[in-house]
């Protein structure tokens, strides 16, 4: 089976040793992953609430909420199938650091563009992590599970980046995107050491 080619533009790949941490902590990873899907649905809802006048964005976010909640259910079902229960949510150091990049405030359009760029990058990194799991996990059933999710995440990444370019000045947005990618690569140097999707 040919692997789908997904160009993410990330400046620093995940340390492959992260997969070894995952292999030993599947329950923790699935719990963290479930909350990532739930937070992705919440992000889509908050964009609808915050920017209702962007009709095309609202329509896509409605579809995204449904998709992310269905992913949450898929992960939650795997947790139950293993005889586990969904654990408590924990802070996401990666996201907390990432969202400090852009200054607060600015016009509504600027705020929207920044939120879309954050969302695009989080989806891109999730996709990269899922690809790594799909290729390296010894549990082939779980590897296939992550391969399917990887394709979805890639579509989300391109959608968010596309909206940022549509609603903001293209040249300015592309410059911000590159700067955000550089900042994210710096964050990643200290990560890949925890049993979390982004950690």
């Amino acid at each position: 089976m040919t692997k789908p080619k997904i160009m993410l533009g990330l400046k620093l790949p995940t340390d492959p040793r992260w997969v070894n941490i995952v292999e030993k902590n599947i329950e923790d990873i699935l719990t963290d992953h479930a909350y990532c899907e739930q937070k992705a649905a919440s992000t889509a809802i908050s964009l609808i609430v915050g920017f209702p006048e962007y009709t095309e964005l609202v329509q896509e976010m409605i579809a995204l909420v449904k998709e992310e909640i269905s992913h949450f259910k898929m992960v939650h079902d795997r947790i139950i199938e293993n005889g586990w229960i969904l654990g408590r949510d924990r802070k996401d150091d990666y996201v907390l650091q990432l969202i400090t990049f852009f200054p607060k405030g600015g016009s509504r359009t600027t705020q929207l563009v920044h939120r879309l760029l954050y969302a695009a990058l989080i989806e891109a990194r999730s996709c990269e992590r899922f690809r790594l799991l799909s290729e390296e996990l010894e549990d082939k059933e779980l590897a296939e599970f992550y391969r399917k999710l990887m394709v979805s995440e890639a579509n989300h990444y391109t959608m968010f980046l596309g909206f940022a370019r549509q609603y903001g000045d293209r040249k300015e947005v592309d410059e911000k995107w590159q700067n955000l990618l550089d900042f994210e690569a710096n964050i990643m140097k200290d990560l890949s050491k925890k049993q979390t999707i982004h950690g």
Side-chain angles (χ1 to χ4, degrees):
M1 178 172 30
T2 57
K3 293 172 186 168
K5 286 204 176 294
I6 296 169
M7 302 303 291
L8 298 168
L10 297 170
K11 302 287 179 82
L12 185 70
T14 292
D15 184 332
R17 289 173 295 183
W18 173 74
V19 179
N20 300 330
I21 298 170
V22 172
E23 296 268 22
K24 295 174 186 149
N25 299 278
I26 296 293
E27 183 177 359
D28 285 332
I29 277 288
L30 288 175
T31 287
D32 188 67
H33 180 184
Y35 283 110
C36 287
E37 300 292 357
Q38 182 266 320
K39 287 168 189 168
S42 296
T43 294
I45 290 170
S46 73
L47 285 168
I48 293 169
V49 173
F51 303 92
E53 69 272 32
Y54 292 88
T55 303
E56 188 182 351
L57 177 67
V58 170
Q59 290 289 86
E60 287 295 334
M61 291 304 101
I62 292 167
L64 186 60
V65 171
K66 293 177 183 174
E67 187 177 350
E68 299 290 17
I69 285 297
S70 76
H71 289 173
F72 173 83
K73 181 177 178 352
M74 287 163 64
V75 180
H76 191 237
D77 286 347
R78 289 199 80 91
I79 291 170
I80 295 167
E81 285 161 15
N82 281 289
W84 302 323
I85 58 170
L86 180 64
R88 298 291 295 273
D89 188 17
R90 63 213 64 181
K91 66 177 184 173
D92 191 327
D93 292 328
Y94 169 81
V95 173
L96 290 172
Q97 289 182 66
L98 191 67
I99 61 173
T100 65
F101 181 70
F102 292 123
K104 302 279 186 204
S107 68
R108 275 175 61 72
T109 303
T110 297
Q111 291 174 45
L112 174 59
V113 165
H114 290 173
R115 288 181 63 179
L116 291 168
L117 291 178
Y118 283 140
L121 188 44
I122 292 166
E123 295 284 357
R125 182 56 72 182
S126 298
C127 177
E128 189 255 2
R129 286 281 173 99
F130 292 170
R131 176 166 60 192
L132 193 57
L133 293 176
S134 75
E135 292 171 356
E136 303 296 336
L137 279 175
E138 288 181 17
D139 181 336
K140 293 309 168 196
E141 188 190 350
L142 193 58
E144 177 60 18
F145 176 73
Y146 277 107
R147 192 195 71 78
K148 288 175 182 170
L149 287 174
M150 170 191 76
V151 177
S152 281
E153 299 300 331
N155 292 335
H156 300 165
Y157 144 70
T158 53
M159 174 188 66
F160 280 121
L161 186 55
F163 275 128
R165 286 168 169 162
Q166 180 180 330
Y167 297 136
D169 176 78
R170 174 63 188 262
K171 187 179 174 193
E172 191 179 306
V173 168
D174 284 348
E175 189 177 327
K176 285 182 175 184
W177 176 241
Q178 290 305 315
N179 292 338
L180 183 59
L181 285 169
D182 289 336
F183 181 74
E184 195 258 6
N186 226 28
I187 293 173
M188 289 303 296
K189 287 176 186 172
D190 296 321
L191 295 177
S192 305
K193 296 167 188 170
K194 292 183 182 175
Q195 59 269 29
T196 57
I197 291 295
H198 298 124

